[in-house]
Amino acid sequence: MSTRPSSPAGSSSIESSVKAAANRLTEAFRSRVPCAPISDLIGPDDVVSAYRVQTLYNARRQANGSAVVGRKIGATSEAVQVQLGVDQPDFGVLFDDMAYVDGACISMDELLQPKAEAEVAFVLDRDLATGNLDVDQCRAAVAYATAALEIVDSRIAEWDITFADTVADNASSGVYVLGTTRRTLEEVAPVEVQMTMTIDGELVSAGDGAACLGDPLHALTWLARRAREFGEPLRAGQVILSGALGPMCAINPGSTVTAEISGLGSVTAHFSTKPTI
């Protein structure tokens, strides 16, 4: 993923800091050992540099064989913004090795500090690369919507993050699970859906479509415009995780997480118990 915005030209210190931050996140991803915040390298509010770190970090995953299959929007609900201590949405990349089927058992060895969010996912059947990229155009580009669990994760120890940290860390991406019920936007209005999420049968989160930037389609529109700005517009076939409909909740080894989203059915993921060393 490339970006058009860039930090001031001729700043070797900024370039060095971006590379150092990407190196830190890459090693945390490789070793499965959380690292110190990277905001000490690029600054907590340097969004331009943070996206440059994300680009470099993600390019290394692609070099190792991971393929881009979509995008995710993060921090779309006020509840999650409060939990993360941020005040605006961000976006990251979805890779093929992040995807799981409904009912899958996900190894906790693949994750560091996972938390679950329930979301509306969109799958596109048209590119969103030209035009006004307004709500009507983005709506028309959606093949179908489905329920999704996003398992957010952070390479930053103790989730001690600023906005720059979460952006650089591929928007705190972990893995995701799509449900099997598919609905066109003629059949369901994303803004009207109601969500409940349980962990081991206990209700832990609830919300609705309006919690996601006022409407998950508004989130999609925001993303389409940002992605084009950054030189990598949304493409047909991509999966778009539109953002949480309610608070995220930590996952423990051995847990089962289920989200129910009205009109879109349910989606479940099981999590393995980490082996004893």
Side-chain angles (χ1 to χ4, degrees), residues 99-174:
Y100 285 86
V101 299
D102 188 19
C105 184
I106 300 170
S107 172
M108 291 293 280
D109 287 338
E110 299 297 314
L111 303 163
L112 283 78
Q113 310 168 95
K115 299 182 180 185
E117 297 178 345
E119 309 189 10
V120 174
F122 299 116
V123 176
L124 304 181
D125 64 1
R126 302 182 197 175
D127 291 351
L128 286 170
T130 61
N132 293 329
L133 300 182
D134 57 15
V135 170
D136 288 341
Q137 182 183 355
C138 290
R139 186 181 191 279
V142 174
Y144 62 86
T146 190
L149 286 171
E150 183 186 0
I151 311 307
V152 295
D153 204 1
S154 181
R155 268 50 62 180
I156 308 300
E158 304 297 328
W159 281 88
D160 181 19
I161 62 173
T162 65
F163 188 67
D165 289 296
T166 189
V167 167
D169 190 19
N170 196 27
S172 301
S173 295

Side-chain angles (χ1 to χ4, degrees), residues 15-271:
E15 195 65 32
S16 176
S17 295
V18 166
K19 290 180 180 178
N23 289 343
R24 187 180 293 180
L25 290 170
T26 300
E27 175 57 22
F29 179 83
R30 184 199 65 78
S31 67
R32 298 291 190 260
V33 176
C35 63
I38 59 87
S39 50
D40 65 343
L41 296 170
I42 65 169
D45 302 313
D46 188 347
V47 178
V48 170
S49 292
Y51 276 113
R52 291 179 64 199
V53 174
Q54 183 191 120
T55 298
L56 182 55
Y57 171 45
N58 285 340
R60 292 172 179 174
R61 290 189 66 172
Q62 289 178 271
N64 286 328
S66 297
V68 176
V69 296
R71 304 288 179 81
K72 62 151 287 183
I73 313 168
T76 53
S77 78
E78 183 178 359
V80 170
Q81 288 182 2
V82 169
Q83 287 179 302
L84 294 179
V86 302
D87 61 0
Q88 58 184 303
D90 63 354
F91 70 89
V93 171
L94 299 178
F95 292 104
D96 55 350
D97 52 10
M98 294 166 60
Y100 285 86
V101 299
D102 188 19
C105 184
I106 300 170
S107 172
M108 291 293 280
D109 287 338
E110 299 297 314
L111 303 163
L112 283 78
Q113 310 168 95
K115 299 182 180 185
E117 297 178 345
E119 309 189 10
V120 174
F122 299 116
V123 176
L124 304 181
D125 64 1
R126 302 182 197 175
D127 291 351
L128 286 170
T130 61
N132 293 329
L133 300 182
D134 57 15
V135 170
D136 288 341
Q137 182 183 355
C138 290
R139 186 181 191 279
V142 174
Y144 62 86
T146 190
L149 286 171
E150 183 186 0
I151 311 307
V152 295
D153 204 1
S154 181
R155 268 50 62 180
I156 308 300
E158 304 297 328
W159 281 88
D160 181 19
I161 62 173
T162 65
F163 188 67
D165 289 296
T166 189
V167 167
D169 190 19
N170 196 27
S172 301
S173 295
V175 300
Y176 68 95
V177 187
L178 298 184
T180 56
T181 300
R182 299 177 176 184
R183 295 285 184 262
T184 71
L185 298 189
E186 297 298 322
E187 298 173 301
V188 64
V191 70
E192 295 176 359
V193 301
Q194 300 291 318
M195 177 277 293
T196 58
M197 185 173 73
T198 61
I199 297 181
D200 298 328
E202 179 183 353
L203 180 65
V204 294
S205 182
D208 55 35
C212 179
L213 289 187
D215 183 334
L217 285 171
H218 294 168
L220 175 60
T221 301
W222 176 88
L223 175 64
R225 291 172 175 171
R226 290 291 281 162
R228 186 171 66 180
E229 273 179 45
F230 276 62
E232 292 288 347
L234 305 183
R235 299 297 184 184
Q238 289 188 332
V239 176
I240 309 299
L241 299 183
S242 64
L245 304 180
M248 61 185 181
C249 298
I251 301 166
N252 295 316
S255 290
T256 294
V257 181
T258 297
E260 299 268 357
I261 300 180
S262 62
L264 296 175
S266 66
V267 57
T268 295
H270 309 283
F271 294 85

